[in-house]
C-alpha cells in the first residue's frame, strides 16, 4: 500500500479491518521527479515518517521497499544517481526489499535499471516487488521473466505483481510469487478470486493499491470477506491474505512482525 498518499484516517480504518502490518513500496508518486534529491527525501519520508505515523495512528507495523520504479528510469542521468544510493537505503532497519522495479514502456533504460536492481537484491538476499506494465502487459511480463531468468536471480524471493487474466500463465511458468493488485482498471476482486479458484493459492498474494487516484486501502480486507461469502474455507483465505505475504517478506532479515 502506498500510504504516503493517504490520510491518517486510512490507517485507522485499515486497523479496524484487521490490518496489523503493511509494506509500502516506493512508487511513482503522480508526477515525474526532476531531481535525484527528490527521491532521497521521498525515501526518508516513507522509511522514517510513515513508519512512525502508522504506529502512532493505529499501532500498525510499517515496512518499506526501496527502488527506482520504471517510469523514472527513463531519465538516465538522474536514474544513475538514484541507483548509486539505493544500496544505502536497503540497509535501513525497516526496509525489507527492493521495489517497485520492472517495466513501464519497456525501454532500454528501464531494462538496465531493472537488471541492476535485481542484482542489488540478489547480493543482499532481499525480496523484490516487480511492476508489470499497464500497456502491452503480456509482452512486458514475458520480457520481465526473460530478464529474471537471464540474470539467474532467486525467483522464490520475487513477486511479479499487477497480474491479470492475460499474464497469469506467464508468471505461473516461473518460481516467482504472483501478486494481484486490487485496483480500478487493473483487476477487480471477483476476477482475482476467480483466478485463485482456478490456479490455487500457492505463492499467491493480494495487494491493495492506495495511491492518489480512486483506490482503496481496504481492498484486501474486502476481498477477504468476499472470499468467505463465496464459500472459501477460512484457512485457505488466511493463506492468501496473511500466511503467503508473511512467508514472502519473512525472507528479509529486517522483517520482524510477529503476527502468528
Amino acid at each position: 500500500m502506498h500510504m504516503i498518499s493517504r490520510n491518517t484516517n486510512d490507517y485507522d480504518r485499515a486497523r479496524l479491518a484487521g490490518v496489523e502490518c503493511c509494506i509500502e513500496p516506493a512508487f511513482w508518486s503522480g508526477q515525474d521527479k526532476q531531481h535525484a534529491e527528490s527521491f532521497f527525501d521521498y525515501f526518508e519520508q516513507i522509511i522514517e515518517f510513515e513508519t512512525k505515523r502508522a504506529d502512532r495512528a493505529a499501532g500498525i507495523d510499517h515496512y518499506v521497499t526501496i527502488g527506482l520504479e520504471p517510469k523514472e528510469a527513463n531519465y538516465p542521468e538522474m536514474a544513475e544517481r538514484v541507483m548509486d544510493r539505493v544500496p544505502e537505503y536497503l540497509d535501513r532497519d525497516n526496509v525489507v526489499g527492493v521495489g517497485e522495479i520492472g517495466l513501464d514502456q519497456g525501454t532500454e533504460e528501464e531494462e538496465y535499471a531493472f537488471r541492476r536492481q535485481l542484482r542489488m537484491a540478489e547480493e543482499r538476499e532481499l525480496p523484490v516487488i516487480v511492476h508489470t506494465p499497464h500497456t502491452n502487459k503480456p509482452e512486458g511480463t514475458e520480457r520481465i521473466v526473460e530478464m529474471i531468468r537471464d540474470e539467474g536471480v532467486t525467483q522464490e524471493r520475487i513477486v511479479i505483481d499487477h497480474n491479470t487474466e492475460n499474464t497469469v500463465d506467464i508468471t505461473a511458468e516461473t518460481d516467482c510469487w504472483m501478486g494481484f493488485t486490487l485496483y480500478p482498471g487493473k483487476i477487480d476482486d471477483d476476477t482475482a478470486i476467480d483466478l485463485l479458484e482456478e490456479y490455487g493459492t500457492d505463492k499467491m498474494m493480494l495487494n491493495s493499491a492506495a495511491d492518489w487516484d480512486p483506490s482503496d486501502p481496504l481492498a484486501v480486507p474486502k476481498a477477504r470477506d468476499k472470499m468467505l461469502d463465496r464459500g472459501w474455507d477460512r484457512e485457505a483465505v488466511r493463506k492468501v491474505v496473511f500466511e503467503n505475504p508473511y512467508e514472502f517478506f519473512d525472507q528479509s532479515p529486517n522483517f520482524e512482525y510477529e503476527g502468528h
Side-chain angles (χ1 to χ4, degrees):
M1 292 198 283
H2 308 302
M3 294 305 286
I4 189 173
S5 59
R6 315 304 298 196
N7 66 34
T8 303
N9 293 348
D10 287 316
Y11 281 118
D12 275 336
R13 291 166 55 233
R15 185 60 194 265
L16 283 170
V19 175
E20 295 180 0
C21 177
C22 75
I23 287 95
E24 174 160 9
F27 80 126
W28 179 69
S29 48
Q31 179 170 311
D32 289 356
K33 298 178 188 70
Q34 304 298 309
H35 312 282
E37 286 74 13
S38 300
F39 282 89
F40 308 141
D41 284 339
Y42 167 58
F43 294 161
E44 286 293 343
Q45 184 169 359
I46 60 174
I47 290 170
E48 290 291 335
F49 177 73
E50 282 305 321
T51 298
K52 290 172 184 160
R53 185 165 76 118
D55 183 43
R56 187 177 69 238
I60 290 175
D61 278 18
H62 177 276
Y63 293 93
V64 176
T65 68
I66 293 293
L68 170 73
E69 47 69 42
K71 204 168 171 57
E72 288 162 314
N74 290 302
Y75 303 91
E77 197 176 315
M78 180 175 76
E80 195 72 22
R81 289 187 58 212
V82 173
M83 286 188 286
D84 282 348
R85 285 194 58 191
V86 162
E88 70 191 64
Y89 292 98
L90 298 179
D91 293 335
R92 299 282 283 274
D93 282 351
N94 57 331
V95 176
V96 294
V98 175
E100 297 178 317
I101 62 172
L103 293 180
D104 181 56
Q105 303 301 314
T107 63
E108 280 182 30
E109 289 82 5
E110 291 173 19
E111 293 196 358
Y112 164 73
F114 180 59
R115 288 173 180 272
R116 183 173 171 189
Q117 292 179 100
L118 275 180
R119 292 193 293 269
M120 287 179 195
E122 187 71 10
E123 285 164 18
R124 291 162 181 78
E125 300 186 354
L126 287 173
V128 180
I129 299 176
V130 173
H131 175 283
T132 51
H134 303 297
T135 53
N136 299 324
K137 191 177 272 287
E139 297 85 349
T141 305
E142 281 177 355
R143 182 66 188 134
I144 281 167
V145 168
E146 263 178 38
M147 288 189 284
I148 288 170
R149 287 183 175 139
D150 189 43
E151 291 293 332
V153 293
T154 307
Q155 296 185 13
E156 291 82 359
R157 284 198 298 267
I158 297 171
V159 57
I160 297 176
D161 198 11
H162 305 304
N163 280 283
T164 66
E165 56 273 34
N166 301 320
T167 64
V168 282
D169 287 335
I170 301 163
T171 303
E173 287 173 6
T174 71
D175 290 323
C176 299
W177 294 62
M178 190 181 304
F180 299 100
T181 299
L182 307 174
Y183 185 79
K186 287 183 183 166
I187 195 167
D188 61 49
D189 51 11
D190 279 312
T191 307
I193 296 166
D194 289 344
L195 290 169
L196 290 170
E197 286 172 356
E198 184 178 345
Y199 286 84
T201 58
D202 284 350
K203 290 189 167 179
M204 297 289 200
M205 280 190 269
L206 300 177
N207 300 306
S208 303
D211 61 23
W212 282 279
D213 286 325
S215 54
D216 187 359
L218 304 188
V220 172
K222 287 175 181 175
R224 169 202 65 198
D225 292 350
K226 194 169 275 194
M227 290 166 84
L228 294 170
D229 291 346
R230 281 173 59 161
W232 275 62
D233 173 75
R234 194 167 283 276
E235 286 305 308
V237 176
R238 180 179 167 84
K239 182 178 180 190
V240 173
V241 301
F242 182 84
E243 301 290 348
N244 283 356
Y246 182 93
E247 186 183 330
F248 178 73
F249 284 104
D250 201 39
Q251 296 178 97
S252 169
N254 285 351
F255 188 68
E256 295 176 347
Y257 171 70
E258 298 292 345
H260 281 255

